[in-house]
Each structure stands twice: as structure tokens, then as C-alpha cells.
């Protein structure tokens, strides 16, 4: 058994920090979740999850007040053998990486950390940031080991994936490499070692690849719809019993807090020569505009439109960078009324699904939550289902999914 470790997570009450903290707290670590969000800190210490994450509520009950606690007091860093930072790394309004929050949080963590401790960057960072942090530590004359270990979970499956997915770890020096390998070997059987710049690119390649993959399907969707054809019928035909097309995704909103901004981080790193990344952005971000353009042809003015599902993806309560909200904004310029609903997203402007459906002339599926599978639409309503969700929910016969074309 590994020695008992004291771990602090900066940004510990967020979507990445909290699941990691929960898992480490069951693997021989005393975990402090440091966060500036006082409400989240209070919720976690009261045993309540601040967001939905499968399997997390039971784990939280098991460890809170014992091997895990949340705090806003940075003094918890002084006792830590390892400090993991997972604060957000957004792009700015010019689509360039915004790394100052990360730098500020690392700088302030360094003030409290003790010499000999390990600092692990877990946020998705712009390539080269690990080296800059490493140089900063040396310039300050501090004996702190720096490592980078990217988070690769998908929201909603974090607890399962943290203990099953391989972990990529990287550091400049053997001792830091050994320490970060030992930390993550506590939670997963497979640890993959890379150089820091390789690991930074590995994470950005992963998210960009997924974003491009969705863009291909969305481009094909737009193409088929433009010719009055049903993309999902074609998708079903080419993927059935044909393993080479297994990676052919369905069409749908490709959004959320990570895929686009990480594609843009890679675009910035390439000196804005990542043509496929920018093209993918135009296609994926253009999908709400395409829907509105098609609806405009059949007349939008004066009509009531319902958007079902405001989270950025199915079964999620996370509305960050959701294209349903972009669609809502576009529709508000042209439709009579826009009614939005979601059973999971905490947004006081949302209405119940019954209210949304009752008033709507046009129904658009924004996020294919499973609870919508059994919905029935009275005759006369126009239904837009880019995902092909109701076609499959209805056993592939397509009875409920009508094209808006
Ligand atoms: N959400 C995902 O599915 C996912 C997956 C892989 C990687 N990532 C990456 O992980 C990072 C974090 O993403 P997230 O979704 O967990 O964000 P989040 O907003 O859910 O969590 C960030 C947390 O950090 C806290 N915070 C911000 N500044 C702080 C500071 N100075 N000190 C202490 N706490 C601070 C916030 O209050 C928040 O609770 C990003 O780089 C993201 O790209 C996210």
C-alpha cells in the first residue's frame, strides 16, 4: 500500500476537481478542495453535489468530513504533499487562450506550498504553459516539483472514467515524474508517460479530434438537408454492419466548455494555421443559424418555437457554451415567442415541458435527454430533430421525427 498522502485541489469544487477529489479520498489521500466559490464549498461540506455527476453523491457521503473537506482557506496548501490545480482555462473574446487566471492561481498557490511538494497542472493548458510554470518555480528559487497530467473525463461519467481510463503524466525531472506517476497509479492501472509538451498536445489533439469528427457529421447533415434529404436515413444506411464507419458520429450540437475552446487553443498554437479547426468551428457554431435559415423559409414571424433541452449535451445540467442558448438568441430576433425547457438546467427563465409543447408551433430538440424519448406531438406541430433522436426512440421507423425541410 502507498503511503498516506495529503492532497489539495485548487478549483476543487468544480466539474473536474470534485470528482478527482472524491476518488483520491477513497485511495489513501486526505483531500482538501480549495475553491473561491463559497456556495459550492458550503454545499460540498454539507454532503450535497453542486452539479450532477453519476455515482458522486454516494461517494461524497462516504468521504465528506472524513478524508475530504472543502475550504476557501488557502492555508490548506501548506500541509499538502501534492497540489493539483484545475481552474478554468477559457479563450478570450478574440478567441485567444486566456491563461492569466491559471497563472494567478499558480502564483498564489506557490506562496503557500511547502518546499518538496508536488504541483500538478490538471487544467487543459495552452502548449508550453507547463514549461513556463516550471521556469517560474525555478526563478523563485523554490524546490517544488512541477508536473502536467491532463483530465480526459467526460462530464457525467467522471467517477467511472477516472478509475478506468489511462492517465497521461508528464514532468521535466525524474523525481517529479515518479511522484506524479505514483499519485495517479493510486486511481488507475494504466499510467502513460510523456514529455510535458507532448502531453499538452495529447489533450488538445483529443478534444480537437472529437470536435472535427462532429463537424464532419454536421457538415453532411447540412448538405443532405439542403437537398431535402434525411441525413439520419443515410447515416443509418452507411453505418449498419459496416465497421469502418463506426467513428461516423450522428449530427447534433457540438458544444460545451471544452471542445471549441481547446480547438481554438490548438489553432492559436499553430499560428492560426489550423484550417480544419477553424472550419469545424464554422460548421458546428453555424448549425443553429442553419436551422433558423431553414425555418425562415417556411415562415417564422409570429410563430411560437419551443426548444427542448438547454444543456450542452444529453443528460447534463451544464449549460456552459450550449448551442441551445445561441439558437434561442437567434430565434428571439425573428419568432413570435421562444419557450425553453430543460429538466436539469437551473435557469429561472425556463418553463415546463408541458407548457413549452402546449404553446409551440415549432419544436426543436436542443439536447436529446432520455426523458424526451416518449413525447408525443399533436398533429400540426413542426418538429426539428437534428440528432435523429425520435427516429431511434421510435424504433427506427421515424414516425415522430419529421424533417423541418
Ligand atoms: N468539464 C469537463 O468535462 C472537463 C474535462 C476535461 C478537462 N477540463 C478542463 O478542466 C479545467 C476546469 O474545468 P471545469 O469544467 O472543472 O471548470 P469549473 O468552472 O467547473 O471549475 C473550476 C472551479 O475552480 C474554481 N476557481 C476558479 N478560480 C479559482 C482560484 N483562483 N482558486 C480556487 N478556486 C478557483 C471555481 O470556483 C470552480 O469551482 C479547464 O481547463 C477545462 O478545460 C474540463
Amino acid at each position: 500500500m502507498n503511503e498516506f498522502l495529503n492532497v489539495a485541489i485548487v478549483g476543487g469544487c468544480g466539474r473536474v476537481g470534485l470528482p478527482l477529489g472524491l476518488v483520491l479520498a477513497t485511495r489513501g489521500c486526505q483531500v482538501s478542495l480549495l475553491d473561491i466559490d463559497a456556495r459550492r464549498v458550503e454545499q460540498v461540506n454539507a454532503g450535497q453535489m453542486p452539479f450532477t455527476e453519476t455515482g458522486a453523491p454516494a461517494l461524497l457521503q462516504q468521504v465528506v468530513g472524513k478524508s475530504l473537506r472543502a475550504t476557501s482557506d488557502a492555508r490548506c496548501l501548506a500541509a499538502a504533499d501534492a497540489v493539483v490545480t484545475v481552474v478554468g482555462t477559457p479563450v478570450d473574446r478574440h478567441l485567444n487562450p486566456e491563461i492569466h487566471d491559471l497563472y494567478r492561481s499558480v502564483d498564489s498557490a506557490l506562496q503557500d506550498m511547502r518546499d518538496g511538494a508536488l504541483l500538478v497542472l490538471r487544467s487543459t493548458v495552452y502548449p508550453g504553459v507547463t514549461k513556463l510554470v516550471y521556469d517560474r518555480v525555478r526563478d523563485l528559487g523554490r524546490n517544488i516539483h512541477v508536473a502536467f497530467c491532463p483530465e480526459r473525463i467526460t462530464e457525467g461519467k467522471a467517477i467511472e472514467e477516472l478509475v478506468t481510463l489511462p492517465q497521461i503524466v508528464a514532468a521535466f525531472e525524474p523525481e517529479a515524474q515518479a511522484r506524479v506517476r505514483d499519485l495517479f497509479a493510486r486511481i488507475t492501472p494504466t499510467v502513460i508517460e510523456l514529455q510535458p509538451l507532448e502531453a499538452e498536445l495529447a489533450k488538445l489533439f483529443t478534444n480537437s479530434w472529437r470536435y472535427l469528427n462532429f463537424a464532419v457529421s454536421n457538415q453532411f447533415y447540412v448538405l443532405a438537408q439542403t437537398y431535402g434529404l434525411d441525413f439520419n436515413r443515410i447515416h443509418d444506411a452507411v453505418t449498419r454492419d459496416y465497421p469502418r464507419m463506426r467513428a461516423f458520429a450522428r449530427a447534433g450540437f457540438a458544444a460545451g466548455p471544452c471542445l471549441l475552446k481547446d480547438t481554438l487553443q490548438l489553432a492559436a498554437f499553430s499560428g492560426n494555421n489550423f484550417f480544419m479547426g477553424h472550419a469545424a468551428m464554422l460548421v458546428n457554431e453555424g448549425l443553429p443559424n442553419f436551422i433558423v435559415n431553414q425555418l425562415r423559409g417556411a415562415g417564422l414571424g409570429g410563430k411560437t418555437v419551443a426548444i427542448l433541452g438547454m444543456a450542452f449535451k444529453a443528460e447534463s445540467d451544464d449549460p456552459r457554451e450550449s448551442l441551445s442558448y445561441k439558437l434561442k438568441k437567434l430565434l428571439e430576433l425573428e419568432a413570435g415567442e421562444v419557450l425553453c425547457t430543460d429538466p436539469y438546467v437551473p435557469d429561472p427563465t425556463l418553463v415546463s415541458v408541458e407548457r413549452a409543447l402546449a404553446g409551440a408551433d415549432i419544436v426543436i430538440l436542443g439536447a436529446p435527454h432520455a426523458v424526451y424519448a416518449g413525447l408525443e406531438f399533436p398533429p400540426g406541430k413542426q418538429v426539428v430533430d437534428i440528432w435523429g433522436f425520435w427516429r431511434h426512440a421510435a424504433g427506427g421507423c421515424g414516425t415522430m421525427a419529421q424533417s423541418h425541410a
Side-chain angles (χ1 to χ4, degrees):
M1 180 64 189
N2 290 311
E3 66 177 302
F4 192 77
L5 270 191
N6 199 319
V7 178
I9 303 181
V10 183
C13 294
R15 303 240 175 198
V16 164
L18 182 48
L20 178 65
L22 289 172
V23 171
L24 285 172
T26 63
R27 305 287 171 117
C29 297
Q30 183 66 44
V31 178
S32 301
L33 305 171
L34 176 64
D35 207 294
I36 52 172
D37 186 330
R39 193 160 158 266
R40 281 188 170 186
V41 167
E42 204 176 302
Q43 278 179 300
V44 170
N45 283 333
Q48 294 158 9
M49 283 295 293
F51 47 82
T52 307
E53 189 59 62
T54 309
L59 264 192
L60 180 57
Q61 290 302 325
Q62 188 187 321
V63 297
V64 72
K66 297 171 194 151
S67 53
L68 176 137
R69 74 181 178 110
T71 178
S72 298
D73 185 348
R75 282 176 297 183
C76 67
L77 300 175
D81 304 299
V83 172
V84 183
T85 69
V86 290
V87 300
T89 47
V91 289
D92 66 17
R93 64 198 169 92
H94 302 291
L95 307 183
N96 291 313
E98 170 56 81
I99 49 178
H100 294 102
D101 282 355
L102 179 84
Y103 274 141
R104 269 194 293 273
S105 78
V106 165
D107 253 2
S108 99
L110 287 173
Q111 286 171 22
D112 290 300
M113 286 175 69
R114 62 173 177 77
D115 273 342
L118 171 70
L119 173 65
V120 182
L121 307 181
R122 183 76 164 164
S123 308
T124 305
V125 299
Y126 183 73
V129 162
T130 310
K131 178 73 166 65
L132 290 174
V133 170
Y134 174 77
D135 289 344
R136 173 90 180 130
V137 168
R138 286 161 59 106
D139 288 349
L140 290 171
R142 298 297 307 277
N143 173 26
I144 285 173
H145 305 287
V146 176
F148 174 63
C149 177
E151 180 58 82
R152 298 195 297 161
I153 53 99
T154 185
E155 285 181 25
K157 292 192 176 159
I159 301 296
E160 176 196 331
E161 291 191 348
L162 275 167
V163 297
T164 51
L165 292 182
Q167 295 287 334
I168 293 174
V169 300
F172 293 102
E173 290 173 347
E175 186 171 348
Q177 186 78 5
R179 301 257 304 258
V180 73
R181 189 198 312 121
D182 290 351
L183 177 64
F184 284 96
R186 286 171 183 251
I187 64 173
T188 182
T190 315
V191 174
I192 301 169
E193 300 187 41
L194 289 177
Q195 290 298 309
L197 190 57
E198 292 172 332
E200 289 166 344
L201 283 179
K203 172 64 191 177
L204 294 184
F205 284 176
T206 305
N207 277 2
S208 299
W209 186 88
R210 295 190 67 233
Y211 193 66
L212 265 61
N213 197 32
F214 294 136
V216 170
S217 298
N218 288 334
Q219 176 93 77
F220 289 169
Y221 172 85
V222 167
L223 209 157
Q225 291 296 123
T226 303
Y227 280 89
L229 297 170
D230 182 345
F231 168 80
N232 286 296
R233 263 173 67 82
I234 304 170
H235 185 280
D236 285 352
V238 301
T239 52
R240 191 182 307 166
D241 300 330
Y242 198 79
R244 273 195 295 282
M245 290 301 279
R246 213 176 276 142
F248 185 21
R250 295 201 164 280
F253 287 161
C258 291
L259 296 190
L260 172 58
K261 69 106 176 149
D262 291 344
T263 304
L264 291 171
Q265 297 211 64
L266 198 53
F269 184 63
S270 75
N272 280 334
N273 284 323
F274 183 25
F275 304 116
M276 292 171 76
H278 282 122
M281 177 180 73
L282 295 178
V283 173
N284 289 333
E285 289 287 309
L287 205 47
N289 305 71
F290 176 76
I291 293 171
V292 173
N293 286 343
Q294 290 235 311
L295 289 172
R296 192 184 293 128
L300 254 181
K303 293 207 172 138
T304 298
V305 184
I307 305 176
L308 273 55
M310 301 305 290
F312 82 84
K313 67 173 184 176
E315 313 314 320
S316 169
D317 61 349
D318 191 349
R320 291 180 296 173
E321 314 305 328
S322 166
L323 286 176
S324 292
Y325 279 93
K326 179 172 184 175
L327 177 65
K328 173 180 185 246
K329 271 193 196 160
L330 293 171
L331 287 167
E332 280 170 347
L333 295 173
E334 303 193 37
E337 192 179 9
V338 184
L339 300 169
C340 299
T341 183
D342 193 298
Y344 310 122
V345 171
D347 174 349
T349 69
L350 304 186
V351 301
S352 70
V353 67
E354 292 79 16
R355 158 104 174 79
L357 285 181
D361 304 298
I362 301 168
V363 178
I364 306 176
L365 184 63
H369 296 315
V371 289
Y372 297 145
L375 288 179
E376 303 217 355
F377 304 106
K381 289 203 198 291
Q382 191 177 356
V383 178
V384 180
D385 174 15
I386 42 178
W387 311 84
F389 173 72
W390 283 307
R391 148 192 286 280
H392 293 93
C397 61
T399 48
M400 300 180 68
Q402 299 139 33
S403 160
H404 54 261

